[in-house]
Amino acid sequence: MSKRSAAVILYAALLIASVLQVFQSIVIAHFFDPEYLAPYRYGILAAGFAYLFATGLIESVFFFISGKYAPDARRYVGNTLVSCTLIFLVLLLLFEGVLDPYVLIHTELGPYLREIGAYLLIALFLFVNMTAHNALVGSGHTAAASALRVFQYLLRILAIAGALFSGLIAAIHPLILLIVVLEGIQSLLYGLVLLNRKLLSFRLRGIETRAQYRYAFGLGVAGFIPFINGSLDKIMISAFLGASSFAIYSVSAIELPIATILMSVFGSVLFSTYVGYAESGDHSSMAALWRKCSKYGMIVIVPAGIFVFLFSDVLYRLILPDAYFEGHRVLGIYALLLLLRFNSPDVLARALNRNAIIVQAATAMLIVNVAGNLVFINTFGLWGAALATLCGTAAGWIYYLARYARLLKQPVSALLPWKPYVSLVVTSAGFFGAARWTFDRVEVSAVPVILGAALVILGAAAYLWYAFSLLEKPEKAFVRDLARKMGVPLRPTD
């Protein structure tokens, strides 16, 4: 399977899974008001903190099933699973023996510790599932990884929706236990697939475990500050505004799946290619590939971010109860993060084994983020935290670009296509700005509606034409073939 086909398959699967996950959050929000939803959202945050301690090992799988380590890939996968299990047991003992009775009981989390503890059990299955997913994708079994991911989220949404709508579950704690069982089933399936594809062995003697631990430790440290960055706004909202506001913010402060998926695809499917360039010292090819991915990512990401920013209030009225409407500004500002999420920012650092760059960029983000939260929450309330996150992310991106340009000895323009980026932003803003203008004047008169509709159509046509012109010949041919298969008539010269 070609890299392009693998990327398309994985992107489609992750997009479907993420959409299902969003629907899951919407369904649960319709059954629980913010004050009752808070323990569930705190549980998700706790599981995220647990995942932080294993993220280095889990992400190291890509590196240790590539290049010179490929012959022993199955044993490195086994070593990762064993190590993650030990990490989980230590974390569980720490939570139950120290944090729960002596620390957390005295915080705003005190009333929800039973639910948080139950959700923490998901961390073990999360370790297994993500390790298996990375192993399958990194070894070229993208179709299997994609099918399992879609099945996981489809089973979950069907089970949760069925239990809630039928009345079998009416409280958060049994809902969390149901999710634990569903994650356990998925881990069993992943294990069977790994064995079937001969990607799992627990014969660990003879592999360079110390090398993996050193690499994983660097990744773990590198991932710590970004995780704090990603969670800081939620933590500070909880501390300043309370559990109910935390629940509203957590539901709203989501990066649209289209962005996180795109970065995941670019970072996983192409990781072995980046490693090959790094091992041969071909830095110009690394920069060219990163620039190409950035350009293609912009085509997809930029219009989505601007659309959600302009229509966040409309979306909230359509999909969520009124109790959560305050969060629409948070969603809108988080959508602007998509203007910075068109490529995986850390993939070059990981491929070059220069994880210090990730730490440095994350530190810059953290400083801006902390300062922004302290100022903006007091000034703007709930959505001030989202604004601080946006500013911090922008600072991190500027640092990444500057460091990569210096490290690869390339100009910034060799990494980031500025002109297409600006053109895409302007075209998208004009297109969706006209749509919003039309929407706001629908009940005023027919003239604005007709004019607005014309602007929307012209803007859409201009955007599609320009986006297609940015593609290179192989991708243009791929799009043409896909369009023909969908029944779109094209001239030979199109």
Side-chain angles (χ1 to χ4, degrees), residues 22 41 234 249-257 330-331 334-335 338:
V22 170
R41 303 305 306 192
K234 301 176 182 65
Y249 189 90
S250 297
V251 170
S252 308
I254 56 172
E255 290 189 38
L256 297 185
V330 175
L331 177 65
Y334 255 75
L338 269 66

Side-chain angles (χ1 to χ4, degrees), residues 345-427:
D346 61 359
V347 65
L348 294 181
R350 292 192 291 115
L352 292 164
N353 198 10
R354 297 289 295 270
N355 296 325
I357 295 175
I358 305 174
V359 177
Q360 292 159 3
T363 302
M365 294 170 64
L366 183 61
I367 293 171
V368 175
N369 204 357
V370 170
N373 271 282
L374 292 174
V375 174
F376 294 150
I377 290 178
N378 288 328
T379 305
F380 303 113
L382 199 66
W383 62 274
L387 183 60
T389 299
L390 177 62
C391 294
T393 304
W397 264 97
I398 292 171
Y399 185 85
Y400 270 121
L401 286 172
R403 289 289 285 122
Y404 286 154
R406 182 178 178 182
L407 183 64
L408 300 178
K409 298 180 180 179
Q410 302 286 327
V412 172
S413 60
L415 289 164
L416 182 66
W418 289 104
K419 291 181 179 179
Y421 179 70
V422 173
S423 298
L424 290 169
V425 170
V426 171
T427 304

